[in-house]
Short mmCIF file of all heavy atoms in Angstrom, two decimals:
data_model
loop_
_atom_site.label_atom_id
_atom_site.label_comp_id
_atom_site.label_asym_id
_atom_site.label_seq_id
_atom_site.Cartn_x
_atom_site.Cartn_y
_atom_site.Cartn_z
N VAL A 131 -3.97 -3.99 -4.81
CA VAL A 131 -2.66 -4.26 -4.20
C VAL A 131 -2.41 -3.30 -3.03
O VAL A 131 -2.48 -2.08 -3.17
CB VAL A 131 -1.53 -4.11 -5.22
CG1 VAL A 131 -0.19 -4.45 -4.57
CG2 VAL A 131 -1.78 -5.02 -6.42
N SER A 132 -2.11 -3.91 -1.87
CA SER A 132 -1.81 -3.16 -0.66
C SER A 132 -0.41 -3.51 -0.19
O SER A 132 0.03 -4.66 -0.33
CB SER A 132 -2.84 -3.49 0.44
OG SER A 132 -2.52 -2.84 1.65
N LEU A 133 0.31 -2.55 0.36
CA LEU A 133 1.66 -2.78 0.87
C LEU A 133 1.65 -2.61 2.39
O LEU A 133 1.15 -1.62 2.91
CB LEU A 133 2.65 -1.80 0.24
CG LEU A 133 2.72 -1.77 -1.28
CD1 LEU A 133 3.80 -0.81 -1.74
CD2 LEU A 133 2.99 -3.16 -1.85
N PHE A 134 2.21 -3.58 3.08
CA PHE A 134 2.26 -3.58 4.54
C PHE A 134 3.50 -2.81 4.99
O PHE A 134 4.63 -3.27 4.80
CB PHE A 134 2.31 -5.03 5.04
CG PHE A 134 2.17 -5.19 6.52
CD1 PHE A 134 1.01 -4.85 7.17
CD2 PHE A 134 3.22 -5.73 7.27
CE1 PHE A 134 0.87 -5.03 8.55
CE2 PHE A 134 3.10 -5.92 8.63
CZ PHE A 134 1.92 -5.56 9.28
N ILE A 135 3.29 -1.63 5.59
CA ILE A 135 4.42 -0.75 5.90
C ILE A 135 4.28 -0.17 7.31
O ILE A 135 3.19 -0.11 7.87
CB ILE A 135 4.51 0.41 4.90
CG1 ILE A 135 3.20 1.23 4.91
CG2 ILE A 135 4.83 -0.09 3.49
CD1 ILE A 135 3.28 2.52 4.15
N ALA A 136 5.40 0.25 7.85
CA ALA A 136 5.40 0.98 9.12
C ALA A 136 4.80 2.36 8.87
O ALA A 136 4.79 2.85 7.74
CB ALA A 136 6.83 1.09 9.64
N PRO A 137 4.30 3.02 9.93
CA PRO A 137 3.71 4.36 9.75
C PRO A 137 4.79 5.42 9.54
O PRO A 137 5.01 6.31 10.36
CB PRO A 137 2.95 4.57 11.06
CG PRO A 137 3.66 3.73 12.06
CD PRO A 137 4.15 2.53 11.31
N GLU A 138 5.48 5.31 8.41
CA GLU A 138 6.57 6.23 8.06
C GLU A 138 6.24 6.92 6.75
O GLU A 138 5.88 6.26 5.77
CB GLU A 138 7.88 5.46 7.94
CG GLU A 138 8.29 4.77 9.25
CD GLU A 138 9.49 3.85 9.08
OE1 GLU A 138 9.98 3.72 7.93
OE2 GLU A 138 9.92 3.26 10.08
N LEU A 139 6.37 8.22 6.72
CA LEU A 139 5.94 9.00 5.56
C LEU A 139 6.72 8.65 4.30
O LEU A 139 6.16 8.64 3.20
CB LEU A 139 6.06 10.50 5.86
CG LEU A 139 5.28 11.02 7.08
CD1 LEU A 139 5.28 12.54 7.09
CD2 LEU A 139 3.86 10.47 7.11
N ASN A 140 8.02 8.35 4.43
CA ASN A 140 8.80 8.01 3.23
C ASN A 140 8.33 6.70 2.61
O ASN A 140 8.34 6.55 1.37
CB ASN A 140 10.29 7.95 3.56
CG ASN A 140 10.64 6.82 4.52
OD1 ASN A 140 9.91 6.58 5.49
ND2 ASN A 140 11.75 6.14 4.29
N GLN A 141 7.88 5.75 3.43
CA GLN A 141 7.37 4.49 2.90
C GLN A 141 6.01 4.69 2.23
O GLN A 141 5.71 4.06 1.21
CB GLN A 141 7.27 3.45 4.02
CG GLN A 141 8.58 3.11 4.68
CD GLN A 141 9.60 2.49 3.74
OE1 GLN A 141 9.27 2.06 2.64
NE2 GLN A 141 10.85 2.44 4.17
N ILE A 142 5.21 5.56 2.79
CA ILE A 142 3.90 5.87 2.19
C ILE A 142 4.08 6.57 0.85
O ILE A 142 3.44 6.23 -0.15
CB ILE A 142 3.07 6.73 3.15
CG1 ILE A 142 2.71 5.92 4.41
CG2 ILE A 142 1.80 7.24 2.47
CD1 ILE A 142 2.11 6.75 5.51
N ARG A 143 4.99 7.52 0.82
CA ARG A 143 5.26 8.25 -0.43
C ARG A 143 5.75 7.28 -1.51
O ARG A 143 5.30 7.33 -2.66
CB ARG A 143 6.31 9.34 -0.18
CG ARG A 143 6.56 10.24 -1.39
CD ARG A 143 7.60 11.29 -1.09
NE ARG A 143 7.15 12.23 -0.08
CZ ARG A 143 7.61 12.26 1.18
NH1 ARG A 143 8.52 11.39 1.57
NH2 ARG A 143 7.16 13.15 2.04
N ALA A 144 6.66 6.38 -1.14
CA ALA A 144 7.18 5.41 -2.09
C ALA A 144 6.08 4.47 -2.58
O ALA A 144 6.04 4.11 -3.76
CB ALA A 144 8.31 4.61 -1.45
N SER A 145 5.18 4.09 -1.70
CA SER A 145 4.07 3.21 -2.07
C SER A 145 3.18 3.87 -3.11
O SER A 145 2.71 3.23 -4.05
CB SER A 145 3.25 2.84 -0.83
OG SER A 145 4.03 2.13 0.11
#
Side-chain angles (χ1 to χ4, degrees):
V131 182
S132 176
L133 304 183
F134 188 65
I135 58 170
E138 299 172 358
L139 303 191
N140 65 319
Q141 299 298 346
I142 294 170
R143 186 180 295 107
S145 298

